Amino acid sequence: MEFGVMQGRLTEMGGFYPQIFPWLEWEDEFYRAKELGITHIEWMLNADRLPDNPILSSEGRARISELEMQTGVQVRSLCMNFVMQYSLRKRDTFETVVSCLRQLSELQHMRAVIIPLEGASAPEYYPDEALKKDLLKLEEPNGQIRCLIESNRSAEDQMNIIGKCSEKAGICYDVGNAACLGRNVPMELNMLMEHIGEIHLKDKKNDEDLSTGAGYKSTYLGEGTVDFQGLSRWLKQSGYHGNLVLESYFDKAQADLQRNLSYLRSL
């Protein structure tokens, strides 16, 4: 089973919270991923210094392609974190997404763009009908790239949204977020199977155990609310072949990524 990792998990102070782009070490992450047997990286496109992100320049994309060839580690997906700060409903934000899609098509292995519908793009600000229309508008510029929504909406609501679109739209399912919301993860995975293009792997537990405030917080895989044994069985039985990307907790980046990977590989 192949595993990918969210960019920043291979860099100390790089990407847990807040999701910080590893400006000084993004090239090194390809070599670190190779050492750990990670096959792909999910790129982060944040609001912070957005125009400077290497993936949005021809020189940067050329360097990414070079690093893919040197290491065998591919950039298969990208998370558009900036839409959580700048609502996708705003014309400027939407046009930025379209522009990004056209540029990303130059990357040979890029297959999915994740659109996280939180913050300024959360359901209360982004009604389902508006989201459907905007996803349809994104079909023309995305070429080979599939646009995947990541949302805390119910499985039924997500199916209703995606069902109106072509196969170029789909779902990124976060097992940690779903489990801490009390969702039946295997049941939702079965419901959404044909639409899921990527699964984010994280675990969460009640924050009372972490002593940092109210609510659920990320923790090491296998120590929270997610039934990873059940998830492993589902992955083997379902024939799922989309991306599996660790968006897992860390204190010490490389050591804890190895810890999380070892846990997954032991299942």
Side-chain angles (χ1 to χ4, degrees), residues 74 92 94 99 112 125 149 168 191 211 231 245 251 258 262:
Q74 302 171 352
D92 288 350
F94 189 83
S99 175
Y125 306 115
I149 61 169
K168 289 185 178 180
M191 287 177 61
S211 302
L231 176 63
V245 175
D251 178 33
Q258 178 66 75
S262 294

Side-chain angles (χ1 to χ4, degrees), residues 118-177:
E118 301 175 23
S121 294
E124 56 265 37
Y125 306 115
Y126 207 167
D128 290 358
E129 289 304 317
L131 176 56
K132 288 183 204 176
K133 292 177 182 177
D134 285 343
L135 285 173
L136 287 169
K137 292 176 188 174
L138 289 175
E139 290 185 3
E140 182 275 326
N142 67 3
Q144 67 183 7
I145 301 172
R146 195 176 183 194
C147 292
L148 307 177
I149 61 169
E150 182 180 358
S151 174
N152 289 331
R153 289 169 166 87
S154 69
E156 292 82 0
D157 286 346
Q158 292 187 62
M159 286 180 65
N160 181 48
I161 293 165
I162 298 301
K164 304 294 184 182
C165 302
S166 76
E167 61 183 15
K168 289 185 178 180
I171 291 167
C172 173
Y173 190 89
D174 189 306
V175 295
N177 292 347

